[in-house]
Amino acid sequence: SLLQTQVPMYLRRTQEYARGDLGAYTRHQASALVFYAVVAGGGSLLLAVAVWHLPVTRWLGLRVIPADQAAWVAWLLGLQILLAMPVGFLSSIYRTTGRLAWSVWLGNARHLAALALVPVVLGLGGGMPALAGFNLIPLAATAGFVLWHTSRRWPALMPRLKAARLSALRELMAPSLLFALMTLATAVSLQGAVLLVVTQLGGAAVAVFVTSRTLTSLIRQVVFTVNNSLWPHLTAMEATGDYGRLRLVHRLMVLGSTAMSIVCAAALWQVGPEVIDV
């Protein structure tokens, strides 16, 4: 949910860059970056207290994993999510300036690196704590690359924490919290169902339930991925007053989203059961 609070911040900075207002861009960038750094630091401490003092294994229905090992895994995975907030916001420099390809390739590289570490860690005999801990390496590498690359190519866009202002953060928080609540509601409805199934029906039922839901969720993911790639362009058009093209692209997005949804749903109707059997 906190990750989704970044969406309005992306849009605001995209507008400011399109208008050439680098002062406002830097101010909002620094303010939000400080906020996410504080949230990540405070959240890691609170999570540590929670996983080592609350019966997490009992709540999740874990019966084989030792409690101390489960606590380490939960803390390291939570830390990965918390650190993804400042790192993801830092990487949005590419997205907000219209360099979407850089943003996408950087995200792909981070995910592929995390995936490549899995067989390496398992091959060296590492367990779940090691696997969760090594997943922090791609995050650190991403942050280092963005800072190095930005300082060399676009020094004017380098984060300057001294430019942070509480007033600038307050401007962004109202729409940001709305996005957070929307995502939180989705997370509760999705993951809450999984927790209820695992505690009442066991792991086998979870496997069937989650696989079926994942197939149907592909429709939303495909449509969202296409629309998401057009967000910076739509925001820049609105910021510069190019309403003619904005209206045309918006209509095309609605038509395209509808067509893709129908196509994906029709495919699942035909081959969904076979995929689940496999």
Side-chain angles (χ1 to χ4, degrees):
S1 296
L2 282 171
L3 280 170
Q4 289 303 309
T5 63
Q6 297 182 1
V7 173
M9 300 181 185
Y10 294 163
L11 300 178
R12 175 68 66 87
R13 289 162 58 223
T14 301
Q15 291 173 324
E16 291 162 350
Y17 185 82
R19 298 190 190 107
D21 190 355
L22 295 185
Y25 183 100
T26 303
R27 185 167 61 254
H28 287 123
Q29 178 191 51
S31 303
L33 196 56
V34 169
F35 169 73
Y36 287 118
V38 171
V39 169
S44 63
L45 294 176
L46 290 175
L47 183 61
V49 173
V51 297
W52 270 289
H53 290 85
L54 296 176
V56 177
T57 53
R58 179 166 59 83
W59 289 350
L60 296 179
L62 303 177
R63 300 177 177 84
V64 178
I65 304 171
D68 59 338
Q69 189 178 80
W72 273 109
V73 172
W75 184 71
L76 289 170
L77 291 177
L79 187 62
Q80 179 182 340
I81 295 173
L82 289 166
L83 292 178
M85 290 188 292
V87 174
F89 190 80
L90 185 64
S91 303
S92 68
I93 289 176
Y94 301 112
R95 184 183 185 87
T96 56
T97 57
R99 300 173 175 92
L100 187 61
W102 275 98
S103 177
V104 172
W105 280 110
L106 188 62
N108 289 342
R110 178 164 67 86
H111 293 307
L112 288 174
L115 179 62
L117 284 172
V118 173
V120 173
V121 174
L122 294 179
L124 294 175
M128 287 193 298
L131 197 60
F134 271 84
N135 268 308
L136 296 173
I137 295 177
L139 273 175
T142 299
F145 174 81
V146 172
L147 290 173
W148 170 79
H149 190 233
T150 304
S151 65
R152 289 177 61 89
R153 296 287 297 272
W154 312 289
L157 301 181
M158 273 292 290
R160 295 174 176 83
L161 299 185
K162 63 181 181 180
R165 296 291 184 273
L166 185 59
S167 58
L169 184 60
R170 281 200 297 262
E171 292 178 32
L172 300 172
M173 287 312 296
S176 299
L177 289 176
L178 175 61
F179 272 77
L181 289 174
M182 291 164 58
T183 310
L184 179 61
T186 303
V188 169
S189 63
L190 292 177
Q191 306 310 327
V194 174
L195 292 176
L196 289 174
V197 171
V198 72
T199 54
Q200 299 299 317
L201 301 178
V206 170
V208 177
F209 176 75
V210 172
T211 302
S212 304
R213 193 179 64 184
T214 299
L215 285 175
T216 58
S217 297
L218 284 174
I219 300 174
R220 181 175 65 251
Q221 291 175 346
V222 169
V223 173
F224 177 79
T225 300
V226 175
N227 291 343
N228 194 35
S229 65
L230 294 172
W231 277 8
H233 306 290
L234 295 174
T235 306
M237 291 176 196
E238 188 276 334
T240 56
D242 191 358
Y243 296 115
R245 282 204 304 165
L246 178 62
R247 187 179 299 109
L248 175 62
V249 174
H250 181 259
R251 287 176 177 172
L252 291 175
M253 285 177 63
V254 172
L255 290 171
S257 299
T258 304
M260 284 189 292
S261 299
I262 293 173
V263 168
C264 293
L268 284 179
W269 179 266
Q270 295 296 325
V271 301
E274 287 82 358
V275 174
I276 293 177
D277 287 341
V278 172

